[in-house]
Amino acid sequence: MGTEDSAESRITELSERIRQHDLLYYRDDAPGITDADYDQLKQELLELEAAHPELVRPDSPTQTVGADPSTLFAPVQHRVPMMSLDNAFDRDELEAWADRARRRLATGDLGDLMCELKYDGLAVSLRYENGVLTQAATRGNGRVGEDITANILALEYKKKKSVPHRLPGGSPGVLEVRGEVYMPLDAFADLNKQQDEEEKPRYANPRNTAAGSLRQKDPSITATRGLSIWCYQIGEIQGGPTLETHNDTLEYLRSLNLPVNPKSKSVSTIDAAWKFIEQCEADRHNLPYEIDGAVIKIDRLDFQRELGATSRAPRWAIAYKLPPEERTTKLLDIHVSIGSKGKATPFAVLEPAFVGGSTVEMATLHNEDQVKAKDVRPGDTVVVRKAGDVIPEVLGPVLADRPDGLPVWEFPEVCPCPHQQPLARQEGDAAHYCRFPRCPEQLRGWIEHFAARNALDIEHLGEQRVRLFIDLGFISDIGDIYSLPYDRIRELEGFGELSVANLATAIEASKQQSLARLLVGLNIRHLGDTTCELLADAFGSLDRIMGASVEELAEVDGIGPIIAESVYEFFLSEANQEIIQKLPKELLEASSSDAEAEVEALPQTLEGMTIVVTGGVEGYTRDGVGAAIKARGGKAPGSVSSKTTALVVGENPGASKLEKAEKLGIPILDEAQFQRLIESGELP
DNA sequence: ACACCTCGAGTTCT
DNA sequence: CTCGAGGTGT
């Protein structure tokens, strides 16, 4: 009894003292105690609480309210949606935004503008109730994010620029703050130094590493990553002061010891805002953290309310995206890769260059004409960038740096595989092809294609293993996949009992796949997912497709003479017929997918509509969205055209589709509107 | 014959 | 994402 009492009073005392020191540290910026002493107090409290869990109070300074590990990454509904921002890529677009806003405002005047940096990190929401951090969540899709309270609490909160667990006295009943969690460049450098010392792979860039760090299941790992945060917005506030401008908001957040970036600037003209942007661009690499642009906001909050928001972004703010980074590097050589159907694609082999957040060593050059048009030659210095922020692209040579007499690159005459068979380009074609039927490169491509997700979907049979099995002579066509010598595989290095079993199970499961997927796996020229589905639906069985004439094949809507001929030719080949004989009976008897029954069961709400999706939609995989649209009678092509009924904009949308849809005046839907559309077929 | 949709294929890196 | 090319409608 006595120990319980003394423990309780000691806990109270420790909590009080720690809270006092927190206040001194945060509010007054004047630590009243050394770090070591502070840590000792904290340690004692932690130990006491561990010994007497029933005495742990929710507002204890060690707490971890809502930080129950089981809630980590649980969905969190944002009470006020976390919207994304519209983008401007040049001065004209910035002016256009300002004009639109001016026209919407009764006064016709924007008032002051707040210019802020756009930090390259992860948007998060922090919820304080009565001054205590109760919940932290990722942005997610803007409406629903993931609970990361435990990870946020684990950040070294005594360090400035990190997240305080408690706010100073007099803070509002409810305060939901938005900010960007980022990894400072020095923390990133330290982490990589550590990786080097431990001979582990380096992390590619601070943004992804910050994201990965916040996604740790073990918060103590997150704690070591040196993450920081910049707060820049209030989502919800109850019982706080009256704020009139965004500038007030920033000042207020600062007064609560929340880290607010000092580089924000208030200006009164678009001209000055543009100057700020230019300054950002110039300073970009002198900052201790990464930015990817600037944000311009209308300062007065009453103006912000008057302007409101579109379905996806507020009208009172615009993000200026810095142009994708371009770098020069050496073009070491141009090699050719052979695709599963024999297509020879030239690609640039580059001196590794760090561009747009990752190191680039290769980039496709598409075909001979593209190489000629760009006139890039091995030995050139070339300009490289990331197209759409992801795919490396060679823009062209820096002619001034070209060595004298550098020879023009010629397309190789033979296949890079050991058989060195000729590569030929047919009249009217852009591509070269290797036509050697037993080309090992093509075989590898075919096997990979057969096992791929949209075909037979065989897990655990990836590039490495395909290569290995071909080299060992285990596989010389797709039929061999079903008679792999497991006894010998078991003896290979890197194959345990479990991995062999996994592989065997995955191969066994693939026998249940549909006819359409089998067709995809057969790797027939001109046939892809869509056309295979068409054929499967029209004929119902492989037998009937094999027995069909060119004319019968071409009768299918969407199949023309060229595809029909290609299919007919494929099945005419004796070699192919033999391979098909080797496939398991279940597969050969596969019928057009069972999904058909379900398709009919769904209400055909999207009949006659063509819905294009950009970005990821909550609750669906990328392919899944298309399937959901098609299952309801709609079409889901990959690009926007004048026939498009609506464009659905999800997470991380592509700029090109959005732009095109805007130009064509096609309705743009957010995820909520898309949900409604799917359910009822109603366009907003 | 032509324009405009679509589709397929190859591709990068984490 | 980008390029090339087949299919379809005018």
Side-chain angles (χ1 to χ4, degrees):
Chain A
M1 266 313 184
T3 52
E4 197 77 345
D5 282 349
S6 64
E8 184 165 12
S9 60
R10 182 65 180 155
I11 283 179
T12 310
E13 187 192 341
L14 285 169
S15 300
E16 281 303 312
R17 283 179 61 187
I18 290 172
R19 221 167 280 142
Q20 280 289 294
H21 290 304
D22 280 347
L23 274 184
L24 284 172
Y25 190 95
Y26 284 114
R27 189 188 55 200
D28 307 333
D29 206 7
I33 185 175
T34 66
D35 280 4
D37 290 342
Y38 178 94
D39 289 340
Q40 202 182 331
L41 291 179
K42 197 95 181 274
Q43 190 57 36
E44 189 186 345
L45 180 57
L46 278 168
E47 280 166 15
L48 269 174
E49 288 184 339
H52 305 277
E54 72 283 0
L55 297 178
V56 179
R57 291 210 302 254
D59 67 341
S60 158
T62 61
Q63 252 342 292
T64 84
V65 182
D68 175 358
S70 70
T71 67
L72 197 58
F73 308 133
V76 171
Q77 176 107 33
H78 297 301
R79 300 184 202 206
V80 181
M82 292 179 80
M83 290 209 269
S84 49
L85 294 179
D86 279 333
N87 290 315
F89 292 93
D90 56 38
R91 177 154 184 166
D92 284 349
E93 290 177 8
L94 180 69
E95 306 251 14
W97 164 77
D99 286 340
R100 283 196 304 274
R102 251 183 233 113
R103 278 197 299 275
R104 276 184 170 267
L105 285 171
T107 59
D109 181 44
L110 304 180
D112 284 346
L113 301 166
M114 276 304 286
C115 306
E116 291 169 47
L117 301 180
K118 189 167 182 292
Y119 324 106
D120 203 5
L122 294 97
V124 299
S125 145
L126 308 172
R127 192 174 182 83
Y128 290 90
E129 287 172 8
N130 298 318
V132 178
L133 180 63
T134 52
Q135 187 169 62
T138 62
R139 176 176 176 279
N141 64 11
R143 295 196 325 278
V144 178
E146 286 176 325
D147 190 305
I148 49 165
T149 315
N151 284 342
I152 289 290
L153 283 171
L155 299 185
E156 184 46 78
Y157 81 109
K158 274 184 30 124
K159 197 175 124 195
K160 286 187 107 185
K161 291 186 201 160
S162 194
V163 180
H165 297 185
R166 294 179 64 86
L167 300 179
S171 54
V174 172
L175 178 69
E176 195 240 298
V177 188
R178 273 102 197 253
E180 192 89 356
V181 170
Y182 65 97
M183 179 171 278
L185 293 177
D186 55 359
F188 179 68
D190 285 349
L191 185 61
N192 264 342
K193 203 170 135 206
Q194 196 184 323
Q195 291 292 107
D196 287 348
E197 280 162 11
E198 294 169 18
E199 296 191 356
K200 290 185 187 159
R202 299 175 70 98
Y203 293 94
N205 63 66
R207 204 211 92 90
N208 287 354
T209 313
S213 301
L214 267 193
R215 291 209 52 84
Q216 292 295 324
K217 280 197 188 122
D218 177 358
S220 65
I221 297 178
T222 310
T224 64
R225 297 293 176 83
L227 298 179
S228 298
I229 189 170
W230 294 122
C231 296
Y232 52 75
Q233 198 87 50
I234 290 176
E236 187 187 358
I237 186 167
Q238 288 170 23
T242 312
L243 302 168
E244 288 184 351
T245 64
H246 182 63
N247 207 358
D248 287 351
T249 303
L250 296 180
E251 282 304 326
Y252 177 59
L253 294 179
R254 204 170 268 140
S255 77
L256 296 176
N257 299 327
L258 289 158
V260 174
N261 190 283
K263 299 238 172 210
S264 302
K265 194 174 168 191
S266 170
V267 301
S268 49
T269 63
I270 287 292
D271 211 47
W274 182 251
K275 288 230 170 64
F276 179 88
I277 288 170
E278 285 179 328
Q279 195 60 46
C280 283
E281 207 158 350
D283 285 349
R284 182 176 197 174
H285 297 293
N286 301 325
L287 295 166
Y289 42 83
E290 289 200 321
I291 60 169
D292 63 348
V295 181
I296 312 296
K297 293 173 181 167
I298 288 168
D299 196 29
R300 279 178 55 169
L301 299 182
D302 54 339
F303 283 4
Q304 292 190 3
R305 278 187 290 272
E306 187 180 346
L307 285 168
T310 66
S311 61
R312 98 182 158 274
R315 293 195 185 87
W316 44 263
I318 186 123
Y320 177 86
K321 285 265 215 181
L322 293 174
E325 273 190 281
E326 291 180 3
R327 281 287 152 79
T328 58
T329 187
K330 197 61 139 264
L331 177 58
L332 300 175
D333 204 354
I334 297 177
H335 289 180
V336 162
S337 71
I338 304 295
S340 71
K341 296 178 172 77
K343 192 180 187 183
T345 309
F347 64 93
V349 179
L350 304 161
E351 202 166 82
F354 196 76
V355 189
S358 62
T359 305
V360 171
E361 300 181 69
M362 284 187 275
T364 180
L365 292 166
H366 299 290
N367 59 46
E368 183 180 25
D369 293 347
Q370 285 287 312
V371 180
K372 288 241 166 74
K374 284 177 177 158
D375 186 29
V376 285
R377 312 175 187 183
D380 262 332
T381 298
V382 292
V383 182
V384 178
R385 73 162 176 201
K386 291 276 190 77
D389 264 2
V390 184
I391 315 260
E393 180 183 16
V394 174
L395 290 173
V398 180
L399 289 175
D401 292 347
R402 174 172 289 172
D404 282 340
L406 194 66
V408 174
W409 180 77
E410 298 290 347
F411 210 97
E413 286 173 12
V414 297
C415 179
C417 82
H419 298 275
Q420 308 223 327
Q421 296 288 307
L423 294 177
R425 179 175 175 183
Q426 293 212 305
E427 183 81 20
D429 268 6
H432 285 72
Y433 281 88
C434 168
R435 295 249 168 264
F436 182 52
R438 279 172 288 106
C439 167
E441 282 299 297
Q442 287 181 59
L443 175 61
R444 177 192 50 78
W446 189 358
I447 306 295
E448 278 176 29
H449 180 76
F450 188 84
R453 245 209 331 258
N454 55 342
L456 279 289
D457 194 15
I458 305 175
E459 270 183 284
H460 308 108
L461 187 59
E463 196 181 326
Q464 302 299 323
R465 287 181 176 183
V466 169
R467 245 178 232 286
L468 183 66
F469 293 163
I470 291 175
D471 288 348
L472 293 170
F474 295 171
I475 295 183
S476 37
D477 62 57
I478 52 168
D480 294 336
I481 293 173
Y482 294 95
S483 51
L484 281 174
Y486 290 110
D487 288 344
R488 294 185 58 191
I489 292 174
R490 216 167 310 219
E491 276 148 30
L492 297 174
E493 203 174 325
F495 283 87
E497 208 45 53
L498 184 64
S499 58
V500 174
N502 282 340
L503 178 62
T505 310
I507 290 174
E508 192 59 29
S510 74
K511 295 180 180 173
Q512 304 304 318
Q513 295 288 11
S514 67
L515 174 59
R517 280 166 170 274
L518 171 62
L519 280 176
V520 174
L522 292 180
N523 195 37
I524 301 170
R525 174 112 109 119
H526 302 304
L527 285 193
D529 300 0
T530 309
T531 37
C532 286
E533 193 95 29
L534 292 175
L535 287 174
D537 284 349
F539 290 90
S541 76
L542 190 65
D543 266 354
R544 268 180 264 169
I545 295 173
M546 289 177 77
S549 66
V550 174
E551 292 73 24
E552 285 167 333
L553 290 163
E555 268 175 39
V556 178
D557 206 15
I559 304 294
I562 295 177
I563 296 182
E565 181 68 32
S566 166
V567 174
Y568 186 78
E569 286 283 317
F570 178 90
F571 290 114
L572 204 60
S573 143
E574 246 173 71
N576 288 336
Q577 286 181 22
E578 276 171 33
I579 290 171
I580 290 167
Q581 288 310 310
K582 289 168 74 174
L583 293 173
K585 283 208 177 52
E586 294 103 304
L587 261 184
L588 298 179
E589 284 160 11
S591 55
S592 86
S593 82
D594 313 340
E596 220 170 332
E598 293 164 38
V599 166
E600 291 309 320
L602 282 171
Q604 300 294 291
T605 44
L606 305 183
E607 195 79 60
M609 294 190 198
T610 301
I611 312 291
V612 179
V613 180
T614 176
V617 179
E618 170 80 4
Y620 295 96
T621 61
R622 272 185 132 78
D623 297 339
V625 189
I629 292 168
K630 286 176 197 157
R632 289 164 178 80
K635 284 193 205 172
S639 58
V640 174
S641 71
S642 63
K643 286 193 179 167
T644 308
T645 316
L647 175 70
V648 177
V649 178
E651 179 81 342
N652 288 327
S656 61
K657 285 182 195 169
L658 205 59
E659 222 168 274
K660 189 156 183 196
E662 271 163 8
K663 202 177 314 170
L664 293 170
I666 287 160
I668 293 169
L669 310 187
D670 63 18
E671 296 185 22
Q673 292 168 317
F674 173 60
Q675 278 307 330
R676 230 168 295 140
L677 175 67
I678 265 200
E679 280 154 25
S680 64
E682 276 169 43
L683 284 164

